[in-house]
mmCIF file of all heavy atoms in Angstrom:
data_model
loop_
_atom_site.group_PDB
_atom_site.id
_atom_site.type_symbol
_atom_site.label_atom_id
_atom_site.label_comp_id
_atom_site.label_asym_id
_atom_site.label_seq_id
_atom_site.Cartn_x
_atom_site.Cartn_y
_atom_site.Cartn_z
ATOM 1 N N ARG A 36 146.724 8.539 24.825
ATOM 2 C CA ARG A 36 146.089 9.355 25.865
ATOM 3 C C ARG A 36 144.910 10.149 25.323
ATOM 4 O O ARG A 36 143.825 10.160 25.900
ATOM 5 C CB ARG A 36 147.118 10.302 26.470
ATOM 6 C CG ARG A 36 146.538 11.234 27.529
ATOM 7 C CD ARG A 36 147.619 12.095 28.141
ATOM 8 N NE ARG A 36 148.655 11.262 28.749
ATOM 9 C CZ ARG A 36 149.784 11.758 29.287
ATOM 10 N NH1 ARG A 36 150.003 13.051 29.259
ATOM 11 N NH2 ARG A 36 150.678 10.950 29.823
ATOM 12 N N ASP A 37 145.054 10.868 24.223
ATOM 13 C CA ASP A 37 143.981 11.695 23.683
ATOM 14 C C ASP A 37 142.776 10.876 23.248
ATOM 15 O O ASP A 37 141.627 11.206 23.609
ATOM 16 C CB ASP A 37 144.491 12.542 22.525
ATOM 17 C CG ASP A 37 145.440 13.634 22.993
ATOM 18 O OD1 ASP A 37 145.407 13.956 24.210
ATOM 19 O OD2 ASP A 37 146.192 14.165 22.167
ATOM 20 N N PRO A 38 142.974 9.805 22.471
ATOM 21 C CA PRO A 38 141.805 8.982 22.129
ATOM 22 C C PRO A 38 141.119 8.420 23.355
ATOM 23 O O PRO A 38 139.891 8.314 23.409
ATOM 24 C CB PRO A 38 142.389 7.878 21.246
ATOM 25 C CG PRO A 38 143.615 8.488 20.663
ATOM 26 C CD PRO A 38 144.170 9.364 21.729
ATOM 27 N N ALA A 39 141.890 8.067 24.386
ATOM 28 C CA ALA A 39 141.292 7.528 25.600
ATOM 29 C C ALA A 39 140.454 8.576 26.306
ATOM 30 O O ALA A 39 139.370 8.303 26.828
ATOM 31 C CB ALA A 39 142.388 7.004 26.534
ATOM 32 N N ARG A 40 140.945 9.830 26.290
ATOM 33 C CA ARG A 40 140.186 10.908 26.915
ATOM 34 C C ARG A 40 138.881 11.156 26.182
ATOM 35 O O ARG A 40 137.820 11.330 26.796
ATOM 36 C CB ARG A 40 141.025 12.187 26.945
ATOM 37 C CG ARG A 40 140.326 13.386 27.579
ATOM 38 C CD ARG A 40 141.294 14.544 27.715
ATOM 39 N NE ARG A 40 141.845 14.920 26.424
ATOM 40 C CZ ARG A 40 141.218 15.729 25.566
ATOM 41 N NH1 ARG A 40 140.047 16.233 25.874
ATOM 42 N NH2 ARG A 40 141.782 16.042 24.416
ATOM 43 N N LEU A 41 138.965 11.168 24.850
ATOM 44 C CA LEU A 41 137.753 11.365 24.057
ATOM 45 C C LEU A 41 136.768 10.234 24.268
ATOM 46 O O LEU A 41 135.560 10.435 24.337
ATOM 47 C CB LEU A 41 138.118 11.486 22.574
ATOM 48 C CG LEU A 41 138.934 12.731 22.188
ATOM 49 C CD1 LEU A 41 139.343 12.666 20.714
ATOM 50 C CD2 LEU A 41 138.137 13.999 22.455
ATOM 51 N N ARG A 42 137.307 9.037 24.375
ATOM 52 C CA ARG A 42 136.441 7.869 24.596
ATOM 53 C C ARG A 42 135.728 7.968 25.945
ATOM 54 O O ARG A 42 134.535 7.656 26.080
ATOM 55 C CB ARG A 42 137.288 6.601 24.553
ATOM 56 C CG ARG A 42 136.495 5.308 24.709
ATOM 57 C CD ARG A 42 135.691 5.019 23.463
ATOM 58 N NE ARG A 42 135.046 3.729 23.576
ATOM 59 C CZ ARG A 42 135.619 2.567 23.207
ATOM 60 N NH1 ARG A 42 136.839 2.568 22.698
ATOM 61 N NH2 ARG A 42 134.950 1.428 23.309
ATOM 62 N N ALA A 43 136.442 8.475 26.958
ATOM 63 C CA ALA A 43 135.841 8.630 28.296
ATOM 64 C C ALA A 43 134.765 9.695 28.298
ATOM 65 O O ALA A 43 133.716 9.554 28.919
ATOM 66 C CB ALA A 43 136.942 8.981 29.307
ATOM 67 N N ILE A 44 135.018 10.806 27.544
ATOM 68 C CA ILE A 44 134.018 11.864 27.468
ATOM 69 C C ILE A 44 132.762 11.364 26.804
ATOM 70 O O ILE A 44 131.636 11.630 27.256
ATOM 71 C CB ILE A 44 134.591 13.082 26.710
ATOM 72 C CG1 ILE A 44 135.724 13.731 27.512
ATOM 73 C CG2 ILE A 44 133.498 14.104 26.412
ATOM 74 C CD1 ILE A 44 136.441 14.836 26.790
ATOM 75 N N GLU A 45 132.916 10.629 25.724
ATOM 76 C CA GLU A 45 131.755 10.085 25.040
ATOM 77 C C GLU A 45 130.983 9.133 25.943
ATOM 78 O O GLU A 45 129.751 9.093 25.937
ATOM 79 C CB GLU A 45 132.205 9.366 23.767
ATOM 80 C CG GLU A 45 132.750 10.321 22.712
ATOM 81 C CD GLU A 45 133.280 9.563 21.515
ATOM 82 O OE1 GLU A 45 133.256 8.307 21.564
ATOM 83 O OE2 GLU A 45 133.714 10.210 20.543
ATOM 84 N N GLU A 46 131.733 8.373 26.734
ATOM 85 C CA GLU A 46 131.083 7.418 27.623
ATOM 86 C C GLU A 46 130.280 8.137 28.704
ATOM 87 O O GLU A 46 129.171 7.728 29.049
ATOM 88 C CB GLU A 46 132.146 6.532 28.274
ATOM 89 C CG GLU A 46 131.589 5.321 29.008
ATOM 90 C CD GLU A 46 131.046 4.270 28.050
ATOM 91 O OE1 GLU A 46 131.384 4.308 26.855
ATOM 92 O OE2 GLU A 46 130.251 3.438 28.514
ATOM 93 N N LEU A 47 130.826 9.255 29.209
ATOM 94 C CA LEU A 47 130.137 9.995 30.263
ATOM 95 C C LEU A 47 128.929 10.764 29.739
ATOM 96 O O LEU A 47 128.075 11.173 30.518
ATOM 97 C CB LEU A 47 131.110 10.973 30.950
ATOM 98 C CG LEU A 47 132.182 10.320 31.820
ATOM 99 C CD1 LEU A 47 133.151 11.366 32.321
ATOM 100 C CD2 LEU A 47 131.554 9.570 32.981
ATOM 101 N N ARG A 48 128.868 10.957 28.432
ATOM 102 C CA ARG A 48 127.707 11.613 27.844
ATOM 103 C C ARG A 48 126.502 10.690 27.765
ATOM 104 O O ARG A 48 125.418 11.116 27.404
ATOM 105 C CB ARG A 48 128.054 12.123 26.443
ATOM 106 C CG ARG A 48 128.966 13.359 26.462
ATOM 107 C CD ARG A 48 129.354 13.758 25.064
ATOM 108 N NE ARG A 48 130.201 14.956 25.062
ATOM 109 C CZ ARG A 48 130.816 15.434 23.989
ATOM 110 N NH1 ARG A 48 130.684 14.806 22.818
ATOM 111 N NH2 ARG A 48 131.554 16.512 24.072
ATOM 112 N N ASP A 49 126.730 9.464 28.098
ATOM 113 C CA ASP A 49 125.630 8.502 28.083
ATOM 114 C C ASP A 49 124.544 8.972 29.050
ATOM 115 O O ASP A 49 124.811 9.308 30.205
ATOM 116 C CB ASP A 49 126.154 7.132 28.526
ATOM 117 C CG ASP A 49 125.109 6.037 28.320
ATOM 118 O OD1 ASP A 49 123.915 6.341 28.458
ATOM 119 O OD2 ASP A 49 125.501 4.905 28.025
ATOM 120 N N PRO A 50 123.258 9.094 28.648
ATOM 121 C CA PRO A 50 122.174 9.544 29.542
ATOM 122 C C PRO A 50 122.076 8.744 30.824
ATOM 123 O O PRO A 50 121.613 9.246 31.847
ATOM 124 C CB PRO A 50 120.924 9.350 28.678
ATOM 125 C CG PRO A 50 121.414 9.410 27.270
ATOM 126 C CD PRO A 50 122.788 8.789 27.298
ATOM 127 N N GLY A 51 122.539 7.542 30.813
ATOM 128 C CA GLY A 51 122.488 6.724 32.024
ATOM 129 C C GLY A 51 123.318 7.297 33.150
ATOM 130 O O GLY A 51 122.941 7.241 34.315
ATOM 131 N N TYR A 52 124.458 7.925 32.808
ATOM 132 C CA TYR A 52 125.302 8.543 33.834
ATOM 133 C C TYR A 52 124.618 9.775 34.423
ATOM 134 O O TYR A 52 124.666 10.031 35.619
ATOM 135 C CB TYR A 52 126.657 8.937 33.243
ATOM 136 C CG TYR A 52 127.582 7.769 33.012
ATOM 137 C CD1 TYR A 52 127.729 7.222 31.742
ATOM 138 C CD2 TYR A 52 128.304 7.219 34.056
ATOM 139 C CE1 TYR A 52 128.575 6.154 31.520
ATOM 140 C CE2 TYR A 52 129.155 6.140 33.848
ATOM 141 C CZ TYR A 52 129.288 5.605 32.571
ATOM 142 O OH TYR A 52 130.123 4.551 32.363
ATOM 143 N N ALA A 53 124.009 10.579 33.553
ATOM 144 C CA ALA A 53 123.324 11.786 34.038
ATOM 145 C C ALA A 53 122.186 11.429 34.966
ATOM 146 O O ALA A 53 121.937 12.097 35.976
ATOM 147 C CB ALA A 53 122.803 12.595 32.856
ATOM 148 N N ALA A 54 121.470 10.368 34.665
ATOM 149 C CA ALA A 54 120.361 9.953 35.517
ATOM 150 C C ALA A 54 120.839 9.479 36.871
ATOM 151 O O ALA A 54 120.169 9.644 37.887
ATOM 152 C CB ALA A 54 119.550 8.860 34.820
ATOM 153 N N ALA A 55 122.021 8.876 36.872
ATOM 154 C CA ALA A 55 122.552 8.338 38.132
ATOM 155 C C ALA A 55 123.228 9.397 38.981
ATOM 156 O O ALA A 55 123.479 9.177 40.167
ATOM 157 C CB ALA A 55 123.538 7.211 37.837
ATOM 158 N N ARG A 56 123.534 10.566 38.385
ATOM 159 C CA ARG A 56 124.233 11.631 39.124
ATOM 160 C C ARG A 56 123.287 12.237 40.159
ATOM 161 O O ARG A 56 122.139 12.549 39.838
ATOM 162 C CB ARG A 56 124.687 12.704 38.147
ATOM 163 C CG ARG A 56 125.537 13.811 38.775
ATOM 164 C CD ARG A 56 125.930 14.804 37.710
ATOM 165 N NE ARG A 56 126.626 14.125 36.615
ATOM 166 C CZ ARG A 56 126.749 14.648 35.388
ATOM 167 N NH1 ARG A 56 126.196 15.799 35.098
ATOM 168 N NH2 ARG A 56 127.411 13.985 34.454
ATOM 169 N N PRO A 57 123.733 12.478 41.427
ATOM 170 C CA PRO A 57 122.843 13.055 42.446
ATOM 171 C C PRO A 57 122.453 14.483 42.092
ATOM 172 O O PRO A 57 123.231 15.228 41.517
ATOM 173 C CB PRO A 57 123.705 13.003 43.721
ATOM 174 C CG PRO A 57 125.114 12.933 43.238
ATOM 175 C CD PRO A 57 125.065 12.170 41.952
ATOM 176 N N GLY A 58 121.217 14.880 42.458
ATOM 177 C CA GLY A 58 120.739 16.213 42.181
ATOM 178 C C GLY A 58 121.419 17.259 43.052
ATOM 179 O O GLY A 58 122.171 16.932 43.978
ATOM 180 N N VAL A 59 121.124 18.535 42.759
ATOM 181 C CA VAL A 59 121.753 19.632 43.494
ATOM 182 C C VAL A 59 121.364 19.589 44.966
ATOM 183 O O VAL A 59 122.207 19.747 45.861
ATOM 184 C CB VAL A 59 121.341 20.982 42.875
ATOM 185 C CG1 VAL A 59 121.892 22.138 43.706
ATOM 186 C CG2 VAL A 59 121.829 21.081 41.442
ATOM 187 N N VAL A 60 120.082 19.357 45.243
ATOM 188 C CA VAL A 60 119.624 19.306 46.632
ATOM 189 C C VAL A 60 120.327 18.188 47.383
ATOM 190 O O VAL A 60 120.782 18.363 48.524
ATOM 191 C CB VAL A 60 118.098 19.118 46.685
ATOM 192 C CG1 VAL A 60 117.635 18.949 48.127
ATOM 193 C CG2 VAL A 60 117.394 20.300 46.039
ATOM 194 N N GLN A 61 120.431 17.035 46.731
ATOM 195 C CA GLN A 61 121.089 15.910 47.393
ATOM 196 C C GLN A 61 122.553 16.218 47.659
ATOM 197 O O GLN A 61 123.090 15.883 48.718
ATOM 198 C CB GLN A 61 120.961 14.654 46.521
ATOM 199 C CG GLN A 61 121.576 13.412 47.175
ATOM 200 C CD GLN A 61 121.418 12.174 46.309
ATOM 201 O OE1 GLN A 61 120.684 12.203 45.322
ATOM 202 N NE2 GLN A 61 122.079 11.107 46.692
ATOM 203 N N GLN A 62 123.210 16.877 46.698
ATOM 204 C CA GLN A 62 124.614 17.235 46.899
ATOM 205 C C GLN A 62 124.776 18.199 48.069
ATOM 206 O O GLN A 62 125.704 18.074 48.876
ATOM 207 C CB GLN A 62 125.174 17.855 45.619
ATOM 208 C CG GLN A 62 125.260 16.880 44.443
ATOM 209 C CD GLN A 62 125.827 17.549 43.210
ATOM 210 O OE1 GLN A 62 126.845 18.234 43.270
ATOM 211 N NE2 GLN A 62 125.157 17.367 42.078
ATOM 212 N N VAL A 63 123.878 19.194 48.139
ATOM 213 C CA VAL A 63 123.947 20.155 49.247
ATOM 214 C C VAL A 63 123.724 19.454 50.575
ATOM 215 O O VAL A 63 124.431 19.714 51.569
ATOM 216 C CB VAL A 63 122.903 21.277 49.047
ATOM 217 C CG1 VAL A 63 122.818 22.159 50.280
ATOM 218 C CG2 VAL A 63 123.254 22.114 47.826
ATOM 219 N N MET A 64 122.739 18.571 50.648
ATOM 220 C CA MET A 64 122.469 17.844 51.882
ATOM 221 C C MET A 64 123.661 16.994 52.292
ATOM 222 O O MET A 64 124.018 16.916 53.473
ATOM 223 C CB MET A 64 121.228 16.973 51.718
ATOM 224 C CG MET A 64 119.933 17.771 51.505
ATOM 225 S SD MET A 64 119.572 18.904 52.879
ATOM 226 C CE MET A 64 119.326 17.735 54.213
ATOM 227 N N GLU A 65 124.296 16.343 51.304
ATOM 228 C CA GLU A 65 125.479 15.532 51.615
ATOM 229 C C GLU A 65 126.614 16.405 52.130
ATOM 230 O O GLU A 65 127.335 16.034 53.057
ATOM 231 C CB GLU A 65 125.908 14.763 50.375
ATOM 232 C CG GLU A 65 124.940 13.663 49.960
ATOM 233 C CD GLU A 65 125.368 12.975 48.687
ATOM 234 O OE1 GLU A 65 126.352 13.444 48.062
ATOM 235 O OE2 GLU A 65 124.726 11.973 48.307
ATOM 236 N N TRP A 66 126.763 17.614 51.529
ATOM 237 C CA TRP A 66 127.829 18.525 51.978
ATOM 238 C C TRP A 66 127.564 18.994 53.409
ATOM 239 O O TRP A 66 128.471 19.020 54.248
ATOM 240 C CB TRP A 66 127.890 19.721 51.039
ATOM 241 C CG TRP A 66 128.999 20.690 51.377
ATOM 242 C CD1 TRP A 66 130.291 20.648 50.984
ATOM 243 C CD2 TRP A 66 128.874 21.852 52.216
ATOM 244 N NE1 TRP A 66 130.991 21.693 51.503
ATOM 245 C CE2 TRP A 66 130.155 22.455 52.271
ATOM 246 C CE3 TRP A 66 127.817 22.421 52.914
ATOM 247 C CZ2 TRP A 66 130.392 23.611 52.999
ATOM 248 C CZ3 TRP A 66 128.062 23.574 53.635
ATOM 249 C CH2 TRP A 66 129.337 24.160 53.673
ATOM 250 N N LEU A 67 126.307 19.368 53.715
ATOM 251 C CA LEU A 67 125.970 19.791 55.066
ATOM 252 C C LEU A 67 126.168 18.666 56.062
ATOM 253 O O LEU A 67 126.669 18.875 57.175
ATOM 254 C CB LEU A 67 124.515 20.280 55.111
ATOM 255 C CG LEU A 67 124.224 21.620 54.426
ATOM 256 C CD1 LEU A 67 122.729 21.910 54.450
ATOM 257 C CD2 LEU A 67 124.981 22.750 55.110
ATOM 258 N N GLY A 68 125.757 17.479 55.666
ATOM 259 C CA GLY A 68 125.955 16.338 56.553
ATOM 260 C C GLY A 68 127.415 16.108 56.868
ATOM 261 O O GLY A 68 127.779 15.787 58.003
ATOM 262 N N GLN A 69 128.265 16.281 55.859
ATOM 263 C CA GLN A 69 129.698 16.095 56.083
ATOM 264 C C GLN A 69 130.258 17.160 57.000
ATOM 265 O O GLN A 69 131.086 16.889 57.876
ATOM 266 C CB GLN A 69 130.436 16.117 54.743
ATOM 267 C CG GLN A 69 131.920 15.805 54.851
ATOM 268 C CD GLN A 69 132.171 14.417 55.408
ATOM 269 O OE1 GLN A 69 131.536 13.456 54.979
ATOM 270 N NE2 GLN A 69 133.066 14.308 56.380
ATOM 271 N N ARG A 70 129.790 18.407 56.826
ATOM 272 C CA ARG A 70 130.276 19.484 57.686
ATOM 273 C C ARG A 70 129.852 19.252 59.145
ATOM 274 O O ARG A 70 130.613 19.492 60.078
ATOM 275 C CB ARG A 70 129.724 20.841 57.215
ATOM 276 C CG ARG A 70 130.124 21.229 55.793
ATOM 277 C CD ARG A 70 131.606 21.596 55.659
ATOM 278 N NE ARG A 70 132.495 20.445 55.603
ATOM 279 C CZ ARG A 70 132.648 19.686 54.510
ATOM 280 N NH1 ARG A 70 131.951 19.937 53.424
ATOM 281 N NH2 ARG A 70 133.484 18.668 54.516
ATOM 282 N N ILE A 71 128.602 18.820 59.346
ATOM 283 C CA ILE A 71 128.128 18.534 60.706
ATOM 284 C C ILE A 71 128.928 17.390 61.312
ATOM 285 O O ILE A 71 129.295 17.426 62.493
ATOM 286 C CB ILE A 71 126.622 18.203 60.693
ATOM 287 C CG1 ILE A 71 125.821 19.443 60.294
ATOM 288 C CG2 ILE A 71 126.163 17.709 62.058
ATOM 289 C CD1 ILE A 71 124.345 19.172 60.100
ATOM 290 N N SER A 72 129.184 16.401 60.485
ATOM 291 C CA SER A 72 129.980 15.273 60.976
ATOM 292 C C SER A 72 131.378 15.731 61.379
ATOM 293 O O SER A 72 131.907 15.311 62.413
ATOM 294 C CB SER A 72 130.058 14.196 59.891
ATOM 295 O OG SER A 72 130.873 13.122 60.318
ATOM 296 N N ASP A 73 131.977 16.618 60.563
ATOM 297 C CA ASP A 73 133.309 17.132 60.895
ATOM 298 C C ASP A 73 133.275 17.915 62.200
ATOM 299 O O ASP A 73 134.197 17.827 63.024
ATOM 300 C CB ASP A 73 133.818 18.032 59.759
ATOM 301 C CG ASP A 73 134.076 17.248 58.474
ATOM 302 O OD1 ASP A 73 134.177 16.006 58.564
ATOM 303 O OD2 ASP A 73 134.160 17.878 57.408
ATOM 304 N N LEU A 74 132.191 18.719 62.393
ATOM 305 C CA LEU A 74 132.078 19.496 63.625
ATOM 306 C C LEU A 74 131.953 18.596 64.843
ATOM 307 O O LEU A 74 132.603 18.814 65.878
ATOM 308 C CB LEU A 74 130.874 20.425 63.539
ATOM 309 C CG LEU A 74 130.567 21.271 64.787
ATOM 310 C CD1 LEU A 74 131.724 22.192 65.113
ATOM 311 C CD2 LEU A 74 129.288 22.072 64.594
#
Side-chain angles (χ1 to χ4, degrees):
R36 178 177 301 175
D37 290 341
R40 180 173 58 83
L41 294 175
R42 183 72 175 272
I44 293 174
E45 292 176 357
E46 192 71 18
L47 289 174
R48 287 176 179 172
D49 189 327
Y52 285 100
R56 185 180 304 160
V59 175
V60 175
Q61 182 179 349
Q62 294 180 48
V63 172
M64 295 301 296
E65 291 177 353
W66 183 86
L67 288 175
Q69 185 61 46
R70 300 289 79 77
I71 293 173
S72 177
D73 293 343
L74 177 61

